[in-house]
Amino acid sequence: MIVFDLACGSGHVFEGWFGSTEDFDSQRARGLLTCPMCGAADVAKAVMAPRVAAKGNQRSEAASVPLSSDGPEKLRKVMHALAEAQARALDGSDYVGERFADEARAMHLGESEHRAIHGQASVDEARALVDEGVAIAPLPFPVRPPGTDN
């Protein structure tokens, strides 16, 4: 796996994980990359600073001191905002469960009406959809199927 900092034309910077540089290039060429913040398709690699660790005998004590004591609170706020954004994105979306790959493919091929859906797909099913040019994205948090809450 390789991690790239990516940026869209609007200046949003985000991370992308790829199997290789060739995987990134292939997905970009096929128009499969979009900005998670604004949906822009003009995504490119952003400038990244390499992380070079100091030699074991040259590390300073400051390296083990956290930079900010409010880090956990900031992380909690970010996670909460992300969960709210997912909930808004799923509002009005149909839960199709394990039929996700079939439903997404049918919409892509024009066999069924386009609508927002979410559900479950195996890694192999998701890869096949991406290879076929079907626009999909993983959700950051698990979703409980409707009717399963107590």
Side-chain angles (χ1 to χ4, degrees):
M1 271 305 177
I2 188 167
V3 180
F4 292 124
D5 281 343
L6 305 176
C8 73
S10 298
H12 299 124
V13 178
F14 53 97
E15 260 185 15
W17 292 56
F18 301 91
S20 66
T21 299
E22 292 77 24
D23 286 345
F24 165 79
D25 292 336
S26 171
Q27 289 182 32
R28 184 168 184 247
R30 293 183 291 157
L32 300 178
L33 303 178
T34 58
C35 174
M37 288 160 250
C38 68
D42 58 335
V43 173
K45 290 180 190 174
V47 176
M48 295 175 58
R51 183 167 194 257
V52 180
K55 288 184 178 179
N57 63 354
Q58 295 179 349
R59 288 194 179 115
S60 70
E61 292 301 315
S64 63
V65 177
L67 297 176
S68 171
S69 62
D70 63 346
E73 180 61 21
K74 283 183 180 178
L75 179 59
R76 187 192 65 73
K77 287 180 180 179
V78 167
M79 296 298 282
H80 181 71
L82 188 56
E84 285 181 340
Q86 177 174 305
R88 284 191 306 274
L90 294 180
D91 187 35
S93 175
D94 294 332
Y95 178 78
V96 295
E98 293 180 359
R99 297 186 334 269
F100 178 81
D102 293 334
E103 295 278 338
R105 187 174 286 111
M107 286 187 292
H108 178 72
L109 297 173
E111 297 170 355
S112 67
E113 186 177 326
H114 283 263
R115 68 191 196 286
I117 63 170
H118 63 284
Q120 303 163 348
S122 70
V123 172
D124 289 338
E125 289 172 324
R127 281 188 182 136
L129 289 170
V130 169
D131 288 344
E132 294 169 30
V134 180
I136 62 169
L139 295 172
F141 299 106
V143 176
R144 290 187 300 269
T148 59
D149 291 341
N150 289 333

